[in-house]
Amino acid sequence: MKQVIYEIFTNRALQVGFVSWFIAQCLKIIITFFVTHQIDFKKFISSGGMPSSHSAFACGLSTAVGFIDGFSSTSFAISLTFTLIVMYDAAGVRREAGKQAQTLNELIEMYFSPHYKPQHKLKELIGHKPTEVFVGALLGILIATIMI
């Protein structure tokens, strides 16, 4: 069991993915500070925003797998497929779910306010604009190129 844990923690491709995710999440805090002039540490654990940490993780992982195993390897093909699904989901499905949440929050406010106040508003920022996904992807590729 120790050997398995050791192998997971020393896996270069996973390290690249996690470093890419960590840097993307830190960048969200920094970008938010420059836009709002407030430090919001909740951005570190939130989804959505610039850059996409999901895309950074997945692209970093795929790029690292390509460098390690070769870009013609089956493992790279599997990783790239996973990455493309993650990026499509972030910019497509999750973004649309966020728009629906925004509309529902507005409807509740318009038609039920001030008599009804929901305990929790639906989370609206769960997806990404295509540029956020693209920048996350570039970040992951850059981190992989530097680390491998």
Side-chain angles (χ1 to χ4, degrees):
M1 185 63 173
K2 284 183 184 179
Q3 182 64 25
V4 171
I5 293 170
Y6 174 78
E7 288 177 10
I8 290 171
F9 279 98
T10 58
N11 183 303
R12 294 294 291 158
L14 278 177
Q15 288 173 351
V16 167
F18 280 111
V19 168
S20 298
W21 170 86
F22 183 83
I23 291 172
Q25 291 299 93
C26 290
L27 284 172
K28 287 180 186 182
I29 295 169
I30 294 167
I31 291 168
T32 300
F33 174 76
F34 281 109
V35 171
T36 66
H37 303 293
Q38 296 177 349
I39 296 175
D40 185 1
F41 289 112
K42 286 188 255 177
K43 292 287 183 187
F44 189 77
I45 57 169
S46 68
S47 59
M50 173 67 90
S52 167
S53 57
H54 291 90
S55 296
F57 185 104
C59 280
L61 175 69
S62 288
T63 305
V65 168
F67 283 139
I68 294 166
D69 293 345
F71 289 95
S72 63
S73 67
T74 301
S75 55
F76 174 73
I78 293 167
S79 182
L80 180 61
T81 302
F82 158 76
T83 294
L84 294 174
I85 291 168
V86 166
M87 291 171 64
Y88 174 80
D89 181 67
V93 178
R94 285 181 32 232
R95 184 165 187 228
E96 289 303 314
K99 288 179 181 178
Q100 290 175 2
Q102 183 179 15
T103 301
L104 287 171
N105 285 335
E106 289 171 1
L107 286 172
I108 289 169
E109 191 173 310
M110 281 176 21
Y111 292 107
F112 296 104
S113 194
H115 307 294
Y116 172 74
K117 292 285 185 191
Q119 282 185 316
H120 306 287
K121 286 181 74 174
L122 296 171
K123 187 175 179 184
E124 297 174 7
L125 186 60
I126 57 176
H128 292 283
K129 297 174 186 168
T131 54
E132 295 167 344
V133 172
F134 181 73
V135 171
L138 288 179
L139 178 65
I141 293 166
L142 177 66
I143 299 298
T145 303
I146 291 168
M147 288 184 65
I148 299 295

